[in-house]
Amino acid sequence: PQKDSCRYQPQGCLKNLRAELMAEHEPSCEYQPASCPLANHPQCKWGGKLRDLDRHLREAHKDVIVLGAERCHLVEMHKVRANQSVCF
C-alpha cells in the first residue's frame, strides 16, 4: 500500500503512513503549529509546535501554572482541527 508523508513533515514530523492511518495521525501530530492558549496573559505572542507548548506554558507562565494541580483546557489549534485538550 502507498504511504503518505505527514502534512507537518516540513516542521519535523517523520511519519509515513497509509492514508487511513495518516487521517488519524495528523489531528494529533505533535509537530503541528500551536499558539499560546494564554494569549491574553500578558499578551503572549508565542507560536510554535504542539510538542513545545507544555514547556512554553511551564516556563513563560509559571506564575499561573500550578505544578501538580493539573487541569485540562481546550486549546485552539491549526486548521486540521478546531480544538485540542491540553492538560497543564
Side-chain angles (χ1 to χ4, degrees):
Q2 180 179 344
K3 293 185 176 183
D4 298 320
S5 296
C6 178
R7 73 173 64 204
Y8 302 111
Q9 184 179 32
Q11 287 79 27
C13 184
L14 301 175
K15 295 280 186 181
N16 288 299
L17 303 168
R18 294 189 322 267
E20 63 273 10
L21 295 176
M22 189 57 72
E24 293 176 20
H25 162 74
E26 285 183 343
S28 60
C29 180
E30 64 182 8
Y31 289 92
Q32 70 176 281
S35 56
C36 182
L38 301 176
N40 294 324
H41 185 278
Q43 309 301 324
C44 183
K45 304 278 190 236
W46 182 87
K49 298 174 187 169
L50 180 59
R51 66 183 288 163
D52 299 325
L53 179 59
D54 180 66
R55 182 169 31 110
H56 163 72
L57 291 170
R58 293 179 190 278
E59 291 176 0
H61 301 292
K62 57 186 168 202
D63 57 324
V64 293
I65 303 298
V66 179
L67 298 177
E70 195 170 273
R71 294 188 330 204
C72 294
H73 308 271
L74 282 180
V75 178
E76 187 173 325
M77 303 307 291
H78 193 54
K79 298 175 184 176
V80 173
R81 64 169 175 257
N83 295 296
Q84 158 140 355
S85 179
V86 176
C87 298
F88 58 88

